[in-house]
């Protein structure tokens, strides 16, 4: 059964231990005061979640890398023990220590893990994936589909157990970046690649964002999604649920998985079901496990 609400959280944190050249958060440091502000914002969000009586799925989508910060590890641990939190997931580069997973309810946690070819090796990343699997935590793994990384992406697929879904984020900054042969090659790794390689026309389309899915920022402000800036409410409001209702998208298109997955006409909820937050198709684990045995 789907949770009542899918909540995305992004606090002020904006720093990372990795140095990907294209990224504004690469190797960026923050002051103690900035980090403390992020910790307090997260604490307020988690305490608010604790008070709710709806079934919830939570996805952390930080700017930069959050799992290297102990307060995110502690927040996820705490959330995993809340009976109404069906899933708590986070986007991560998987570089942090993973011992904290031992204190969690692992089946409630999902790690949306991105492999960064310039920052780590398949072997090192693969060892981290194995540790996550051994802990019983749910995990998806993926990479940006740059042409120069095609070979590495295939090697990654080979190195990771078949039971783990490997997604590919399409490089969409250049129009017609992929040839038909490229697309075929990437579909062999990620059967859902074409969905990601599309900027879905969304203007006027019905979307769960702002109805049963919404984002919360470090101030507690509620928006329908990360791509529409209007603040629609606040977690400080006693009647915050009143800001949610059926809505239509005001944007021309929606090209990012964490957005279009909520676009009603794409009908992706049945595809992902309980794995929606951590991006694991519902039929992935059992079918791929069976195929590899
Ligand atoms: S791991 Fe992610 S956040 Fe960190 S530098 Fe690379 S792209 Fe940026
Ligand atoms: S289609 Fe995308 S941009 Fe539009 S409201 Fe939904 S999530 Fe937001």
């Amino acid at each position: 059964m789907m949770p009542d609400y899918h909540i995305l959280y992004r606090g002020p944190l904006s720093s990372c231990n990795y140095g990907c050249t294209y990224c504004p958060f690469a190797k960026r440091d923050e002051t103690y005061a900035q980090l403390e502000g992020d910790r307090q914002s997260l604490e307020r969000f988690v305490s608010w979640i604790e008070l709710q009586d709806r079934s919830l799925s939570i996805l952390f989508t930080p700017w930069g890398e959050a799992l290297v910060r102990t307060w995110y590890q502690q927040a996820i641990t705490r959330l995993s023990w809340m009976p109404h939190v069906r899933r708590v997931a986070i986007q991560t580069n998987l570089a942090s220590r993973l011992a904290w997973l031992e204190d969690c309810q692992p089946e409630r946690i999902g790690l949306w893990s991105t492999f960064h070819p310039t920052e780590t090796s398949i072997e090192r990343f693969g060892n981290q994936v194995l540790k996550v699997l051994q802990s019983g935590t749910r995990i998806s793994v993926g990479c940006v589909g740059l042409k120069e990384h095609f070979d590495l992406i295939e090697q990654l697929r080979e190195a990771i157990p078949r039971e783990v879904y490997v997604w590919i984020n399409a490089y969409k900054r250049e129009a017609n970046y992929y040839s038909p042969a490229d697309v075929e090659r990437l579909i062999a790794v990620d059967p859902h690649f074409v969905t990601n390689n599309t900027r879905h026309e969304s203007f006027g389309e019905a979307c769960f964002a702002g109805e049963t899915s919404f984002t919360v920022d470090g101030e507690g402000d509620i928006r329908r999604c990360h791509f529409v800036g209007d603040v629609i409410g606040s977690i400080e409001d006693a009647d915050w649920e009143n800001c949610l209702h059926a809505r239509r998208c005001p944007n021309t298109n929606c090209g990012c998985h964490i957005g279009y997955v909520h676009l009603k006409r794409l009908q992706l909820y049945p595809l992902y079901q309980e794995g929606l937050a951590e991006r694991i198709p519902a039929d992935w684990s059992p079918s791929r496990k069976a195929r590899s045995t």
Side-chain angles (χ1 to χ4, degrees), residues 126-173:
N127 284 339
Q128 289 287 84
V129 173
L130 289 181
K131 281 187 210 164
V132 172
L133 289 174
Q134 280 158 8
S135 76
T137 303
R138 296 165 59 83
I139 183 169
S140 73
V141 159
C143 187
V144 178
L146 289 171
K147 290 190 187 195
E148 58 268 35
H149 294 151
F150 280 7
D151 289 345
L152 269 175
I153 290 169
E154 287 166 344
Q155 288 164 24
L156 178 73
R157 175 62 283 176
E158 287 307 307
I160 301 290
R162 296 302 297 181
E163 70 200 71
V164 177
Y165 171 54
V166 175
W167 45 263
I168 299 170
N169 274 352
Y171 184 75
K172 296 196 274 282
R173 287 187 201 168

Side-chain angles (χ1 to χ4, degrees), residues 19-287:
C20 308
T21 48
Y22 55 86
C23 177
F25 313 112
K27 294 287 182 196
R28 190 168 176 273
D29 287 327
E30 289 178 279
T31 63
Y32 175 80
Q34 287 170 322
L35 292 173
E36 178 57 15
D38 182 73
R39 191 193 65 73
Q40 287 177 11
S41 293
L42 182 63
E43 168 67 28
R44 178 173 57 177
F45 173 69
V46 174
S47 296
W48 175 75
I49 292 286
E50 196 159 36
L51 295 174
Q52 305 310 312
D53 57 5
R54 297 292 216 149
S55 67
L56 304 174
S57 158
I58 299 157
L59 171 62
F60 291 101
T61 58
W63 295 129
E65 176 59 35
L67 272 189
V68 291
R69 308 294 178 186
T70 52
W71 54 96
Y72 281 90
Q73 299 172 6
Q74 288 159 3
I76 293 172
T77 305
R78 190 172 149 201
L79 288 163
S80 81
W81 289 99
M82 294 181 192
H84 61 302
V85 175
R86 301 268 292 277
R87 181 80 77 243
V88 50
I90 185 165
Q91 295 178 323
T92 174
N93 62 23
L94 211 62
S96 69
R97 296 180 61 198
L98 296 167
W100 59 276
L101 286 172
E102 290 167 14
D103 298 325
C104 302
Q105 293 222 71
E107 69 282 1
R108 298 265 184 94
I109 298 178
L111 299 183
W112 167 324
S113 309
T114 305
F115 173 63
H116 296 277
T118 58
E119 305 303 301
T120 187
S121 64
I122 287 180
E123 190 187 358
R124 241 167 68 198
F125 184 81
N127 284 339
Q128 289 287 84
V129 173
L130 289 181
K131 281 187 210 164
V132 172
L133 289 174
Q134 280 158 8
S135 76
T137 303
R138 296 165 59 83
I139 183 169
S140 73
V141 159
C143 187
V144 178
L146 289 171
K147 290 190 187 195
E148 58 268 35
H149 294 151
F150 280 7
D151 289 345
L152 269 175
I153 290 169
E154 287 166 344
Q155 288 164 24
L156 178 73
R157 175 62 283 176
E158 287 307 307
I160 301 290
R162 296 302 297 181
E163 70 200 71
V164 177
Y165 171 54
V166 175
W167 45 263
I168 299 170
N169 274 352
Y171 184 75
K172 296 196 274 282
R173 287 187 201 168
E174 265 179 50
N176 305 316
Y177 180 70
Y178 298 107
S179 69
D182 292 338
V183 171
E184 286 305 309
R185 192 171 166 185
L186 296 179
I187 286 175
V189 173
D190 176 4
H192 305 294
F193 173 72
V194 171
T195 306
N196 190 266
N197 191 30
T198 307
R199 290 189 191 279
H200 302 278
E201 287 184 20
S202 57
F203 182 75
E205 294 274 348
C207 184
F208 288 111
E211 182 182 4
T212 55
S213 171
F214 58 92
T215 72
V216 176
D217 70 11
E219 302 294 316
D221 287 340
I222 297 175
R223 293 174 177 79
R224 63 178 88 189
C225 66
H226 283 319
F227 314 102
V228 179
D230 304 341
V231 174
I232 59 174
S234 167
I235 63 172
E236 303 286 337
D237 300 336
D239 59 351
W240 64 269
E241 278 182 282
N242 289 345
C243 76
L244 303 173
H245 55 81
R247 285 187 159 90
R248 294 188 178 273
C249 180
N251 290 358
T252 310
N253 56 51
C254 189
C256 187
H257 178 92
I258 57 173
Y260 67 65
V261 78
H262 302 292
L263 196 52
K264 292 185 183 179
R265 92 177 138 77
L266 298 183
Q267 297 196 38
L268 293 175
Y269 281 18
L271 176 65
Y272 289 95
Q273 297 180 29
E274 302 241 336
L276 191 83
E278 67 275 24
R279 197 175 177 175
I280 301 178
D283 66 351
W284 188 264
S285 298
S287 61

